[in-house]
Amino acid sequence: MEPVFINNLKNRLKQHLPGDIAQNKMGVITKFPLKSYLSNDKSRPAAVLVLLYPSKNNWYFFLTKRTQNVDHHKGQISLPGGVIEKNESKKNAAIRETYEEIGVLEKKIKIIGKLTKFLVPVSGFEIFPFVGWIDSKPKTKIQVTEVEKVFSVSVKSLIHKKTKKSKKSILNGIPATIPYFDLGNEMVWGATSIILSEFKSVLKDII
């Protein structure tokens, strides 16, 4: 039997999603468009997973910090996930990548829905976010070539108003205002914050 929170979340994910209305709240603001690395409108599909687990009357999910060895988004905070392989379903890719990156056994992960896909022009990825859960906090084991560390964030901290912040910065030589979530003492921005912005909007409908 599913916990009440998971059942409510699954039912909400079946309904109309906030989509770009929620996603755009975390978009980087610049006077000039950032360089796009897409060629001939060809994107690379990737899947990520918001993996929830219960602990001490609260729900948590995992985030990872990428190493400096990866090709894209070095040192940034990400959800577990990666490129979808040929003939692989999007859902299976999210589960497989979660196992490969943080060691959570695939058979224990239960997918309950998905969030809105979106394109990341600066890296050329089309990201398909999924939401799943596991019965209890699992042991994790990071893939050291891609993941520097894995940490947990509570659902309550994500929806708290004070965790959403912004800062001035320079991206590719262009002045920018970067919205971000302050989670686990880390700056969560870009694609991950866009996904979490929609997830936050969904959560606020059921909490």
Side-chain angles (χ1 to χ4, degrees), residues 19-76:
D20 57 8
I21 293 175
Q23 292 174 343
N24 290 343
K25 292 179 181 179
M26 301 304 289
V28 173
I29 302 168
T30 61
K31 288 186 178 180
F32 309 101
L34 295 172
K35 181 181 178 181
S36 172
Y37 288 91
L38 288 175
S39 59
N40 300 321
D41 296 323
K42 289 184 179 180
S43 61
R44 290 174 290 176
V48 299
L49 179 61
V50 180
L51 180 60
L52 296 153
Y53 68 87
S55 179
K56 298 179 181 179
N57 299 315
N58 203 349
W59 285 86
Y60 294 80
F61 60 93
F62 292 106
L63 290 174
T64 67
K65 185 169 186 175
R66 297 170 68 81
T67 66
Q68 296 297 323
N69 300 322
V70 294
D71 293 332
H72 302 281
H73 310 297
K74 298 177 187 292
Q76 291 185 20

